[in-house]
Amino acid sequence: MVLVFVTGNGHKFQEASCLFSQMGIDLEQADLGYPEVQADSLEEVAEFGIAWCKEKLKKPCFIEDAGIFIDVLNGFPGPYSKYVFQRIGNQGILKLLDDKMNRQATFRSVIALQDGLSTHLFIGETKGRIAHEAMGTGGFGYDPIFIPEKNDRTFAQMGMEEKNQLSHRGKSLYKLVNHFKERK
Ligand code: ITT
């Protein structure tokens, strides 16, 4: 079986391929540059994006929208994670939390699948905390500053398989895989 993952982010695609290959499903990347609307929730962004992809691609596909929600900043940057990363990066986030004791944060991933008939959402969440400094060279984006709970290493200090076992995206992808298994 071949499934299309619409994303411009090669890291995401590799993480998904790594998990799917273990399940015997081949993934194809389509970088269609789908429009990411600014909305108050990842769910809204994903639903808008998949409707656009459905029209464009006319075959079963999925997209994924992710964001990091920092407790002491009332969930900021959340759905604005991409914009904030491009503007202030990890150093900017560390600065915002400079004097903060509470460093709890949650990474969320929302997958929207269009299977030709309807749209399904699969959600994954990982709680953790923001490190005091960037650590590690693996992964991408906020990985060097995010430490998943019950751990003392950031995602950037882990290999892809280990990150997949703990991450928001690993969890939403796992639900997507199970959706296909149940339909077999
Ligand atoms: P798409 O083409 O799939 O939309 P994207 O890079 O635009 O890829 P998102 O909008 O989902 O991805 O991501 C929002 C921001 O959060 C962006 O700056 C990412 O680098 C970052 N991010 C997403 N997933 C991450 C992860 O697993 N680890 C670290 N940072 C992540």
Side-chain angles (χ1 to χ4, degrees):
M1 174 181 172
V2 182
L3 194 59
V4 181
F5 183 6
V6 181
T7 177
N9 185 324
H11 293 279
K12 278 188 184 181
F13 182 72
Q14 278 177 15
E15 288 180 10
S17 301
C18 173
L19 201 142
F20 272 64
S21 64
Q22 292 160 9
M23 312 283 177
I25 300 173
D26 284 333
L27 268 199
E28 209 174 81
Q29 181 178 6
D31 181 4
L32 302 182
Y34 74 86
E36 279 191 50
V37 286
Q38 287 294 4
D40 287 341
S41 75
L42 300 180
E43 284 82 349
E44 274 179 76
V45 178
E47 294 206 38
F48 182 88
I50 198 68
W52 186 90
C53 293
K54 183 188 174 197
E55 286 308 308
K56 193 91 180 166
L57 212 58
K58 300 199 186 314
K59 60 178 165 178
C61 58
F62 74 93
I63 61 173
E64 189 250 8
D65 198 49
I68 191 164
F69 296 72
I70 300 174
D71 285 14
V72 77
L73 303 179
N74 294 326
F76 180 84
Y80 310 104
S81 292
K82 185 170 183 167
Y83 181 78
V84 169
F85 188 78
Q86 286 167 344
R87 291 295 180 281
I88 65 171
N90 286 330
Q91 290 311 319
I93 295 287
L94 290 174
K95 228 177 193 164
L96 285 176
L97 295 191
D98 221 7
D99 56 344
K100 304 281 191 273
M101 292 290 282
N102 177 1
R103 306 187 72 87
Q104 300 301 309
T106 302
F107 239 127
R108 295 189 76 233
S109 158
V110 175
I111 287 176
L113 167 75
Q114 173 52 240
D115 63 8
L117 294 171
S118 50
T119 297
H120 307 261
L121 295 188
F122 304 93
I123 294 162
E125 280 189 6
T126 295
K127 289 188 188 304
R129 64 184 196 277
I130 304 297
H132 286 274
E133 58 180 347
M135 295 185 293
T137 54
F140 66 100
Y142 296 101
D143 280 347
I145 61 166
F146 184 78
I147 302 174
E149 67 181 354
K150 299 183 191 133
N151 249 283
D152 53 10
R153 285 171 303 137
T154 65
F155 275 158
Q157 292 175 300
M158 300 177 180
M160 198 177 284
E161 271 184 38
E162 188 179 5
K163 180 183 168 187
N164 267 345
Q165 275 165 16
L166 303 171
S167 80
H168 50 304
R169 181 167 307 103
K171 290 170 189 164
S172 59
L173 286 168
Y174 192 71
K175 288 181 185 172
L176 175 64
V177 168
N178 273 340
H179 170 79
F180 284 110
K181 276 194 184 159
E182 280 164 15
R183 283 194 347 175
K184 268 189 186 171

